[in-house]
């Protein structure tokens, strides 16, 4: 099933999630499976696919990223020029230059973007950081 709207994503997420924690857990999936007479054999695979931060739970942001992964991955690859899974300031400046950002504004624009997207301040933008901001800015979802 392809989920197209924010409400469809929320409804689907809520069907699987623990209503107290607002996260999908193994237990909440087992409960959903029992209620809907569905085999529980794929629960581990589901958690592994969706759980990007490996906390054994799936939050709404991880759930949304899974469904929008293809679009997000294509956008991320435009900036991750060497394919190492992170965007450096140098890669960002190269892409901005290609996009026609004026040389006078290149440094400040790259600095501002890095500051906004590099949530853990490690000097690079990871896929997870990029995906979080991509979804928030392009789909106005609130996590």
């Amino acid at each position: 099933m392809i989920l197209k709207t924010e409400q469809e994503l929320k409804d689907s997420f809520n069907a699987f999630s623990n209503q107290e924690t607002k996260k999908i857990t193994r237990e909440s999936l087992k409960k959903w499976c029992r209620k809907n007479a569905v085999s529980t054999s794929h629960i581990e695979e589901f958690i592994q696919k969706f759980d990007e931060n490996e906390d054994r739970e799936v939050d709404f942001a991880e759930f949304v990223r899974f469904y929008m992964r293809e679009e997000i991955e294509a956008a991320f690859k435009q900036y991750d020029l060497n394919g190492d899974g992170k965007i450096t300031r140098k890669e960002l400046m190269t892409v901005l230059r290609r996009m026609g950002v004026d040389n006078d504004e290149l440094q400040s624009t790259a600095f501002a973007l890095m500051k906004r997207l590099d949530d853990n301040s490690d000097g690079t933008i990871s896929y997870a950081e990029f995906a979080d901001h991509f979804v928030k800015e392009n789909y106005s979802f609130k996590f």
Side-chain angles (χ1 to χ4, degrees), residues 11-130:
D11 291 346
S12 182
F13 178 81
N14 288 335
F16 297 115
S17 69
N18 175 316
Q19 297 307 301
E20 292 174 19
T21 64
K22 300 292 184 201
K23 293 188 178 190
I24 298 173
T25 63
R26 284 171 179 75
E27 286 306 313
S28 68
L29 285 173
K30 285 178 187 175
K31 184 177 176 180
W32 183 91
C33 287
R34 284 190 297 268
K35 179 180 174 185
N36 293 282
V38 174
S39 169
T40 60
S41 63
H42 296 288
I43 288 176
E44 287 305 314
E45 181 182 344
F46 178 96
I47 294 290
Q48 287 177 353
K49 265 187 193 174
F50 283 77
D51 183 23
E52 294 175 340
N53 65 0
E54 299 179 359
D55 65 353
R56 297 185 306 268
E57 299 177 322
V58 177
D59 61 29
F60 186 61
E62 289 170 319
F63 186 78
V64 170
R65 280 194 301 269
F66 177 81
Y67 277 103
M68 298 181 172
R69 184 168 286 146
E70 216 173 278
E71 183 178 357
I72 295 168
E73 283 178 356
F76 184 77
K77 286 177 184 176
Q78 290 178 354
Y79 293 90
D80 180 19
L81 301 177
N82 67 1
D84 68 352
K86 51 192 169 201
I87 300 167
T88 64
R89 185 180 315 270
K90 184 178 178 182
E91 288 172 315
L92 189 55
M93 288 176 57
T94 299
V95 173
L96 291 171
R97 190 176 292 114
R98 288 179 188 166
M99 295 171 67
V101 174
D102 185 50
N103 281 336
D104 295 337
E105 297 177 19
L106 197 57
Q107 290 280 345
S108 62
T109 302
F111 179 80
L113 285 169
M114 288 298 289
K115 185 175 181 178
R116 193 169 88 222
L117 298 176
D118 183 15
D119 294 331
N120 66 0
S121 302
D122 68 353
T124 63
I125 302 167
S126 69
Y127 176 79
E129 290 167 328
F130 182 88

